[in-house]
Amino acid sequence: MSTSTLNNSSAESFTQAIDHFRELYGNHLPAQKSLQIDAAAVFSQLGIPTTKHEEWKYTSLAVIAKNTYRTVNPSDNCSLSKSNVTSLALTNDTLLYVIENGKFNASASNANALPKGITVGSLAELAGDARVQAHLMKHADFSDESLVALNTALTFDGIVIIAEAKTECATPIQIAVVNNTAGEALNIPVRILLIAEKNAIVNVTETHHSFGSKSPVLVNVVSEVVIAEQARVNYIKLQDEDQNTCHVNYHKVNMARDSYQHISTLTWGGGLVRNNLNIRLDDVNCTSYLNGLTIAKDYQVIDHHTVVDHAMPNCYSNELYKGIIDGHAQGVFNGKIFVRKDAQKTNAFQSNKNVLLSDDASMNAKPQLEIFADDVKCSHGATTGQIDEEALFYLRARGIGEVAARALLNHAFAADVIEQIPEENLKSALLDRLTARLNA
Amino acid sequence: MSEDLKILDEVTNSEYKWGFVSNIESDNAPKGLSEDIVRFISAKKNEPEWLLEYRLKAYRHWLTLTEPTWPNVTYPKIDFQDIIYYSAPKAKPTLNSLDELDPEIKSTFDKLGISLEEQKRLANVAVDAVIDSVSVKTTFRESLGELGIIFSSFSEAVQEHPELVKKYLGSVVPYTDNFYASLNAAVFSDGSFCYIPKGVRCPMELSTYFRINSAGTGQFERTLIVADEGAYVSYLEGCTAPMRDENQLHAAVVEIVSHEEATVKYSTVQNWYPGDKDGKGGIFNFVTKRGICLGNKSKISWTQVETGSAVTWKYPSVILKGDNSVGEFYSVAVTNNMQQADTGTKMIHLGKNTSSTIISKGISGGRSQNSYRGLVKIAKGAVNARNFSQCDSLLLGDQCGAHTFPYLEVNNKSSKVEHEATTSKVGEDQIFYCNQRGISTEDAVGLIVNGYCKEVFNQLPMEFAVEAQKLLAISLEGSVG
């Protein structure tokens, strides 16, 4: 293992942080205690991965070795109030919940009209609930993911959303994950659990923001999404933190028969962002959409890893990832599609398109198909290039200046991903934010 | 004394201790690998000092390496001390007529449509006056010699043109490249050497067919092809006939150097023994093939048809160093029964306006695993580089697997890289259409698969392409249930 891990003070300081945390707050989540102890052991074994690790070939975590982080804990207090966070709400009717430095901040949250059958609350409070116990930390497998292990060992709070059978929540539930620093480097574990029971329909938006002084932050998010039979989940991740943030995000979805999920990952903030989406189509007739957008500039590194695992027959998956990379930024895309032996009649598609705007920018793509069943239709495509010169000429011939024409084409290129979002209000709100980001 | 120095000291002192020099008349080296074996091979081939040094450096480097485990293949661990690294080419038993030939091989020959005369040669039937291969060989050599083309076995080249060999050996695949390239550099037995001088267009396809002594060159082949400025050569390697070799491990190295405005076209059909239906026996084919487009407007094109070997691990690559240079890779890889193939290419774009094309067709049947693994790397200075890749997989059974691992790395804003891959099975409607017209299912699959591979076969020289098509049909026999 020594060749593929950062065997330096960094991994050690995290191990110490875990030991310290377990000693003081080891009984904070009694129902999950034994899992957390296992995770701590796994992390001390695995350490922090280096670029020698195939999954981290293009993304170096050396940046987190430079800082000494203080790990947040249950005794930290939340300081944000409703007035601080109103601007974060994507739409007017959003049910807004705030996680501040990993802790559920009830007083800043603004959700009055929660429909019947929907439960949203602090993970620390709900961890003892039987439904939560059945799923929490059971889906995001940490046995070979050291950062998931790190998160699991240090989890003390977060958010739980449960949509009971046959409930429909049309209004989007927004989880605003805020890093609020006061001049110190923080290691923030964030935990999200979403359970959609049979026939439930739910819209969840997870947004990430930076508040306070611009000090280095490591945000380590693990989300577990459990989708029961015939349930439908629309999920959006918007990552818009400052460039001092190192953001690692592990998102695990487990789908039961006839279920549907749609997830969009929009990344335009953060210094180093790594997303691991892991979708398991665990039964027949599942439908899964994955969309993603990278907009990177300066020295940002934005890495999207996705795994779509077709375990059973007659499922459909579609994936569209796009990237606009400028400055000295680096984009990474690694999309895996597994089609297991039993997953006959699978249709799985993947497309990855990138535009490089600068000679110092780079894009590393690795689309990957692993197929063990014969009666399937699978394809992937990946391109890296520039804005179409002919399209540019078309616009310029109609009197649009070059700068404006390029901006228009970049916007159209990126908007393609947001256009896929089924929820109209969210779509237009996100398009506005995209315009603001591209003009920045 | 540091470890290195110690080894060096041991080496210099032990040169004669083991007495292999006296053993030089024997044909086989003992099993196992050591510095002495390397010296033995070198002495046996009467090699100059610098080549021995090269081999020893490679061997010492090899000792520091560990076997790669990243390919998507599984096979029992190879005991490198259980291999004979040098044995004189074995004389095949000479047959009196084709009737004595193993009927199974005979039927394969017939299916391939190999002419009787050629069948005799391949089966090592005593040659008659009509195809006296020795004279064929001499005639070719003379006409090539007039043009200044050097085409000989590697050992001959070492003796006759040491300056060329010294200049280019290891210049594309250094001995430090990877585990098997390192091993090959230490113990390579023989291979081919080819040099096309400035401005010469080689008038015929250079084929190892014509080089009788290339047969039985053993498991560690080394090929070096150099095309000087403005030269052109089309080089063929391999053979569609089944090769029943006893060697388990083949670790060959092929190096191609293409100078300014030169073109090298390298075609290969590989049909090593794939093992029986249950995967017993069969050859491990771990090959490093790489070409470099050194000059401006140079071109290297790889075409390969892979149907054999139990395990294949092979990535013919091109380094596009010169401006406006072109790299191409066309491949058909067929796996059946328990075969495993992890193959693909690397296109490294360094020069301006370089372009590359990758067309890869994988076909898996039985319980086989077929992987495409490719790298397209556009360096920052490779302005306006262009790549198009297409890798398609066809599945012919529910027990097999098809995998694609493409790596696309782009480091500037003016380059365009496109990659697409599809996986599917032979359409039931297509088979039905053929059945309806009286074509059996097995023939229909052969027909459809051949159509699917057409793009690659079109790149092969004519006679080769015809044989390759038939070979494909044979390889797929029994894969349709």
Side-chain angles (χ1 to χ4, degrees):
Chain A
M1 242 14 243
S2 61
T3 53
S4 57
T5 51
L6 272 180
N7 256 348
N8 53 18
S9 54
S10 160
E12 214 139 279
S13 73
F14 283 113
T15 310
Q16 281 167 11
I18 293 174
D19 291 345
H20 184 67
F21 180 90
R22 303 285 342 140
E23 202 173 297
L24 290 174
Y25 309 103
N27 292 317
H28 197 72
L29 301 176
Q32 285 76 27
K33 190 179 172 184
S34 70
L35 276 168
Q36 291 194 289
I37 290 169
D38 292 349
V42 169
F43 178 78
S44 67
Q45 181 118 58
L46 294 180
I48 304 279
T50 67
T51 51
K52 293 236 171 92
H53 194 296
E54 179 65 18
E55 297 299 319
W56 293 86
K57 186 174 156 71
Y58 297 119
T59 305
S60 167
L61 286 173
V63 58
I64 64 171
K66 282 190 203 147
N67 302 306
T68 312
Y69 299 99
R70 182 182 73 81
T71 301
V72 295
N73 63 55
S75 56
D76 288 331
N77 291 319
C78 292
S79 61
L80 295 176
S81 64
K82 277 182 190 171
S83 60
N84 298 116
V85 297
T86 38
S87 66
L88 302 181
L90 285 177
T91 59
N92 292 333
D93 61 342
T94 298
L95 303 164
L96 185 69
Y97 294 89
V98 176
I99 297 180
E100 183 182 346
N101 292 347
K103 199 171 188 179
F104 189 82
N105 182 341
S107 59
S109 300
N110 182 14
N112 311 320
L114 206 57
K116 196 170 167 282
I118 305 274
T119 310
V120 183
S122 148
L123 183 137
E125 282 166 24
L126 291 168
D129 185 302
R131 293 170 297 180
V132 175
Q133 276 190 44
H135 296 294
L136 185 63
M137 299 180 188
K138 303 257 166 87
H139 296 282
D141 180 13
F142 51 75
S143 60
D144 57 355
E145 289 279 352
S146 69
L147 292 160
V148 177
L150 179 64
N151 173 295
T152 308
L154 296 174
T155 292
F156 63 91
D157 201 359
I159 189 167
V160 172
I161 301 173
I162 303 171
E164 284 169 22
K166 294 181 190 164
T167 51
E168 180 177 350
C169 183
T171 13
I173 298 169
Q174 182 177 350
I175 309 164
V177 181
V178 181
N179 316 323
N180 189 10
T181 57
E184 60 178 341
L186 291 180
N187 166 27
I188 306 175
V190 176
R191 193 87 190 188
I192 296 168
L193 174 66
L194 166 60
I195 303 170
E197 293 181 352
K198 199 174 170 181
N199 283 314
I201 300 176
V202 63
N203 279 309
V204 176
T205 309
E206 172 195 327
T207 59
H208 292 269
H209 316 271
S210 295
F211 272 54
S213 65
K214 298 200 174 219
S215 41
V217 173
L218 170 65
V219 189
N220 185 351
V221 186
V222 174
S223 323
E224 288 169 299
V225 177
V226 187
I227 309 177
E229 282 173 42
Q230 291 164 40
R232 295 171 73 86
V233 172
N234 287 312
Y235 204 102
I236 295 166
K237 281 177 194 276
L238 172 64
Q239 291 156 344
D240 190 13
E241 290 143 315
D242 70 34
Q243 293 192 12
N244 297 301
T245 305
C246 172
H247 181 128
V248 288
N249 196 310
Y250 187 92
H251 186 93
K252 170 83 193 199
V253 179
N254 214 358
M255 301 178 73
R257 65 181 300 154
D258 305 316
S259 62
Y260 168 99
Q261 78 99 24
H262 188 295
I263 176 164
S264 304
T265 311
L266 313 173
T267 310
W268 50 61
L272 187 155
V273 180
R274 161 67 174 242
N275 284 299
N276 290 295
L277 265 61
N278 201 320
I279 316 291
R280 186 164 166 94
L281 293 86
D282 215 14
D283 210 333
V284 297
N285 294 329
C286 297
T287 305
S288 164
Y289 288 90
L290 269 81
N291 299 312
L293 178 64
T294 295
I295 296 177
K297 59 179 181 182
D298 304 332
Y299 285 88
Q300 283 182 286
V301 177
I302 296 181
D303 179 347
H304 290 282
H305 267 58
T306 66
V307 175
V308 177
D309 190 351
H310 284 266
M312 295 292 272
N314 294 313
C315 293
Y316 173 89
S317 72
N318 199 332
E319 195 170 345
L320 171 68
Y321 271 77
K322 287 191 159 192
I324 299 178
I325 328 280
D326 200 355
H328 289 78
Q330 273 177 49
V332 179
F333 173 76
N334 181 336
K336 283 187 201 151
I337 299 178
F338 287 100
V339 178
R340 307 275 172 201
K341 210 167 146 187
D342 297 325
Q344 298 292 359
K345 309 271 180 207
T346 289
N347 286 345
F349 307 104
Q350 182 190 81
S351 171
N352 173 235
K353 296 176 182 172
N354 306 292
V355 169
L356 294 183
L357 299 182
S358 143
D359 272 337
D360 296 313
S362 67
M363 179 68 211
N364 297 311
K366 192 184 166 201
Q368 197 173 324
L369 289 173
E370 294 207 38
I371 293 165
F372 296 90
D374 67 330
D375 192 2
V376 299
K377 273 187 202 148
C378 297
S379 70
H380 66 205
T383 61
T384 301
Q386 306 78 44
I387 288 294
D388 185 359
E389 288 299 321
E390 283 181 26
L392 192 65
F393 178 77
Y394 179 93
L395 291 174
R396 296 202 62 195
R398 275 145 189 84
I400 299 169
E402 184 172 348
V403 175
R406 281 189 189 277
L408 204 59
L409 290 168
N410 282 338
H411 189 273
F413 179 83
D416 206 15
V417 174
I418 297 177
E419 294 287 350
Q420 313 285 326
I421 293 170
E423 222 281 324
E424 286 299 329
N425 287 345
L426 283 175
K427 190 196 291 183
S428 59
L430 287 165
L431 282 172
D432 290 347
R433 292 197 180 221
L434 171 71
T435 312
R437 169 62 176 81
L438 284 174
N439 293 338
Chain B
M1 199 188 292
S2 80
E3 195 61 23
D4 286 358
L5 282 172
K6 212 191 265 175
I7 293 170
L8 224 111
D9 193 52
E10 276 169 23
V11 170
T12 41
N13 289 328
S14 66
E15 199 167 341
Y16 293 102
K17 205 161 72 184
W18 302 95
F20 274 111
V21 181
S22 62
N23 211 9
I24 208 156
E25 294 308 316
S26 87
D27 275 350
N28 288 352
K31 268 186 187 176
L33 183 54
S34 65
E35 289 215 1
D36 295 313
I37 295 287
V38 175
R39 285 170 192 282
F40 172 81
I41 295 169
S42 188
K44 193 85 191 159
K45 304 179 83 64
N46 194 20
E47 285 173 353
E49 190 60 28
W50 63 265
L51 193 52
L52 174 64
E53 277 309 308
Y54 180 81
R55 284 177 183 271
L56 288 173
K57 266 195 280 180
Y59 173 71
R60 281 168 210 150
H61 184 74
W62 179 76
L63 288 177
T64 66
L65 301 175
T66 47
E67 237 177 299
T69 50
W70 50 264
N72 193 21
V73 294
T74 49
Y75 52 88
K77 213 168 156 47
I78 297 167
D79 181 356
F80 291 93
Q81 295 304 335
D82 194 33
I83 293 173
I84 294 173
Y85 287 87
Y86 181 84
S87 62
K90 278 181 217 129
K92 287 187 196 168
T94 308
L95 309 176
N96 292 322
S97 80
L98 272 178
D99 301 336
E100 290 173 30
L101 188 59
D102 181 351
E104 198 191 318
I105 293 181
K106 174 85 173 98
S107 81
T108 315
F109 280 164
D110 291 341
K111 284 179 199 160
L112 283 170
I114 295 172
S115 74
L116 271 182
E117 301 305 337
E118 203 167 319
Q119 282 192 25
K120 286 181 186 168
R121 250 196 45 218
L122 291 168
N124 209 25
V125 174
V127 279
D128 55 34
V130 185
I131 54 151
D132 181 354
S133 39
V134 178
S135 63
V136 170
K137 175 191 162 196
T138 347
T139 345
F140 278 132
R141 273 192 104 172
E142 269 169 19
S143 60
L144 291 175
E146 276 168 26
L147 292 164
I149 297 171
I150 302 164
F151 182 42
S152 66
S153 77
F154 205 92
S155 330
E156 275 169 38
V158 168
Q159 305 300 333
E160 290 164 20
H161 306 281
E163 71 298 339
L164 283 175
V165 177
K166 195 174 177 182
K167 184 172 173 192
Y168 292 108
L169 178 70
S171 66
V172 190
V173 182
Y175 66 84
T176 49
D177 194 76
N178 67 61
F179 184 81
Y180 293 106
S182 213
L183 178 63
N184 177 288
V187 300
F188 66 87
S189 35
D190 208 339
S192 312
F193 176 80
C194 170
Y195 175 82
I196 319 289
K198 271 185 196 173
V200 171
R201 189 183 166 88
C202 184
M204 64 189 82
E205 317 269 354
L206 289 187
S207 165
T208 43
Y209 260 176
F210 299 130
R211 263 207 18 252
I212 301 306
N213 60 1
S214 76
T217 41
Q219 47 191 343
F220 301 102
E221 250 181 289
R222 184 115 196 163
T223 305
L224 178 56
I225 301 170
V226 180
D228 217 324
E229 286 172 29
Y232 169 90
V233 62
S234 168
Y235 183 91
L236 306 181
E237 185 216 59
C239 164
T240 51
M243 301 282 279
R244 305 223 167 217
D245 201 296
E246 295 307 312
N247 298 316
Q248 268 267 294
L249 171 70
H250 281 256
V253 170
V254 177
E255 294 178 281
I256 297 179
V257 179
S258 182
H259 283 282
E260 197 164 322
E261 294 188 31
T263 299
V264 178
K265 197 170 147 62
Y266 185 103
S267 314
T268 173
V269 173
Q270 187 260 102
N271 188 20
W272 298 109
Y273 180 54
D276 66 7
K277 280 207 162 72
D278 302 315
K280 272 202 191 115
I283 283 160
F284 301 158
N285 191 21
F286 301 148
V287 184
T288 309
K289 293 187 171 187
R290 191 178 303 149
I292 183 162
C293 288
L294 262 186
N296 296 344
K297 296 187 191 163
S298 55
K299 178 176 173 181
I300 292 175
S301 174
W302 297 98
T303 307
Q304 61 167 18
V305 177
E306 297 276 333
T307 63
S309 294
V311 181
T312 305
W313 185 91
K314 175 176 174 183
Y315 315 95
S317 314
V318 184
I319 301 169
L320 297 147
K321 193 175 173 209
D323 293 348
N324 300 306
S325 56
V326 177
E328 288 175 353
F329 175 76
Y330 298 94
S331 162
V332 169
V334 185
T335 55
N336 203 352
N337 299 326
M338 295 293 281
Q339 279 177 272
Q340 305 173 62
D342 192 317
T343 180
T345 184
K346 287 185 195 173
M347 293 289 173
I348 317 281
H349 291 255
L350 302 174
K352 295 186 182 95
N353 303 319
T354 46
S355 74
S356 61
T357 307
I358 300 169
I359 307 284
S360 165
K361 306 274 182 181
I363 299 156
S364 11
R367 281 175 289 160
S368 66
Q369 300 295 332
N370 200 333
S371 308
Y372 166 84
R373 189 186 299 273
L375 167 71
V376 176
K377 188 183 176 95
I378 312 273
K380 200 173 161 183
V383 180
N384 286 322
R386 188 79 177 82
N387 161 268
F388 173 75
S389 316
Q390 186 183 347
C391 47
D392 296 334
S393 309
L394 202 57
L395 293 155
L396 300 174
D398 55 5
Q399 306 276 309
C400 53
H403 316 278
T404 31
F405 306 89
Y407 294 74
L408 314 171
E409 305 180 8
V410 187
N411 291 297
N412 67 44
K413 66 167 181 180
S414 54
S415 299
K416 278 188 188 149
V417 173
E418 291 170 86
H419 171 95
E420 58 182 22
T422 60
T423 304
S424 54
K425 68 170 195 168
V426 175
E428 275 163 28
D429 47 343
Q430 292 170 321
I431 293 180
F432 178 71
Y433 181 92
C434 291
N435 284 164
Q436 225 185 3
R437 277 147 186 82
I439 299 167
S440 73
T441 304
E442 191 153 56
D443 287 345
V445 170
L447 204 63
I448 293 160
V449 169
N450 263 312
Y452 168 81
C453 300
K454 204 87 206 171
E455 239 176 312
V456 175
F457 286 163
N458 283 344
Q459 302 295 325
L460 285 172
M462 203 17 204
E463 321 80 329
F464 235 32
V466 175
E467 284 180 21
Q469 277 189 26
K470 290 176 180 160
L471 176 66
L472 196 62
I474 293 171
S475 304
L476 292 172
E477 250 172 33
S479 63
V480 186

